[in-house]
Amino acid sequence: MSGDVREIVATSSRILAASGHGDLIWGHVSARDPEGRGVWLKSAEWGLDEVTPERVHLVDGDGMVRSGDGTRHSEYPIHTEIMAARPDVGAVVHTHPPHAVALAAAGDSLRPVSHAANYFVPPQVPRFTDTADLVLTAELGRSLAGVLGSASAAFLVNHGIVAVGRDVEEATVAAILLERACEQQLLTHAAGGWPTWSPPEESRAKREHIYHDKAVSAVWEYLVRQLPALEPR
């Protein structure tokens, strides 16, 4: 089972890199350990595009690497504390995608100006503002989890995003949709004036019609098919 978990975390990492979420060696994906021992997390000092199953390790709630090799990411509390607070969450993505960072820093709320935004809104995407520094402690991780609440994503203002899902596939698709939604809103606003957007009842209907479970699974499979082969490094 651990081999399967490591493979899917590695695949998600490379998909995120190919989808504009790469930030040199920063950003990470995790999956809940099926045996309850912690989270399977991408190891530090590798870019998302470089992640192989061997570069994913098991980290417990105290930050100890229990299985696998490599340097543990210092922001592991993002993953461990969200999963502790949300039994429904099986995977967490934390990245620094440029359009999401820009929209959050500008103080704008995400509006359903596009299909992608309807995945999240309504309600509003929560904003974590306790710090724009790294989330290095369990206390900050718990605070972030509290801000996230029951939502599928949150902005870490002047820092990045978190996106969550029942599994790695769902969390990955959520992260990609959030960045696309932010880019589309910024493009619309840059065109002049202020964009129009769907009212809440239409947004909820679009979410049900477009982003049902079968469609999200199909999006994941599409992203896997588009993924370039990983060259040895």
Side-chain angles (χ1 to χ4, degrees):
M1 177 61 77
S2 63
D4 295 339
V5 172
R6 295 170 79 175
E7 177 66 43
I8 200 166
V9 170
T11 300
S12 169
S13 299
R14 299 198 303 276
I15 285 172
L16 288 163
S19 302
H21 285 249
D23 182 18
L24 302 175
I25 60 170
W26 294 286
H28 21 93
V29 181
S30 70
R32 187 187 294 274
D33 178 57
E35 299 177 22
R37 298 170 295 173
V39 299
W40 289 92
L41 180 67
K42 161 196 173 291
S43 63
E45 301 176 353
W46 298 102
L48 289 169
D49 58 312
E50 298 179 300
V51 181
T52 62
E54 296 74 27
R55 294 168 183 168
V56 176
H57 51 209
L58 178 64
V59 179
D60 68 16
D62 295 320
M64 298 296 295
V65 176
R66 295 299 184 185
S67 180
D69 301 314
T71 303
R72 188 256 299 140
H73 270 289
S74 59
E75 287 192 301
Y76 76 89
I78 290 176
H79 304 267
T80 55
E81 295 302 326
I82 287 176
M83 290 200 201
R86 290 276 302 270
D88 61 310
V89 167
V92 177
V93 172
H94 170 56
T95 57
H96 313 129
H99 299 94
V101 170
L103 185 71
D108 286 343
S109 297
L110 183 65
R111 307 288 186 180
V113 304
S114 64
H115 282 344
N118 288 281
Y119 187 89
F120 307 96
V121 181
Q124 283 299 314
V125 176
R127 296 166 59 88
F128 177 74
T129 58
D130 285 10
T131 182
D133 199 352
L134 301 186
V135 178
L136 300 176
T137 66
E139 180 181 12
L140 281 172
R142 285 192 293 270
S143 180
L144 172 56
V147 169
L148 177 66
S150 61
S152 56
F155 294 121
L156 283 67
V157 179
N158 304 121
H159 180 166
I161 66 161
V162 293
V164 302
R166 291 169 294 181
D167 51 31
V168 172
E169 294 95 328
E170 189 173 85
T172 304
V173 172
I176 290 169
L177 288 174
L178 182 58
E179 171 64 358
R180 288 172 64 88
C182 292
E183 181 179 15
Q184 289 160 343
Q185 182 166 326
L186 289 169
L187 286 171
T188 304
H189 190 48
W194 186 245
T196 60
W197 55 81
S198 294
E201 62 275 14
E202 184 176 73
S203 289
R204 293 187 182 96
K206 290 176 73 174
R207 186 181 306 161
E208 180 179 348
H209 297 156
I210 300 167
Y211 298 115
H212 50 81
D213 290 350
K214 186 176 180 181
V216 170
S217 179
V219 169
W220 167 265
E221 295 298 335
Y222 167 79
L223 293 167
V224 171
R225 291 195 301 270
Q226 300 304 305
L227 194 62
L230 183 67
E231 297 293 334
R233 300 190 187 186

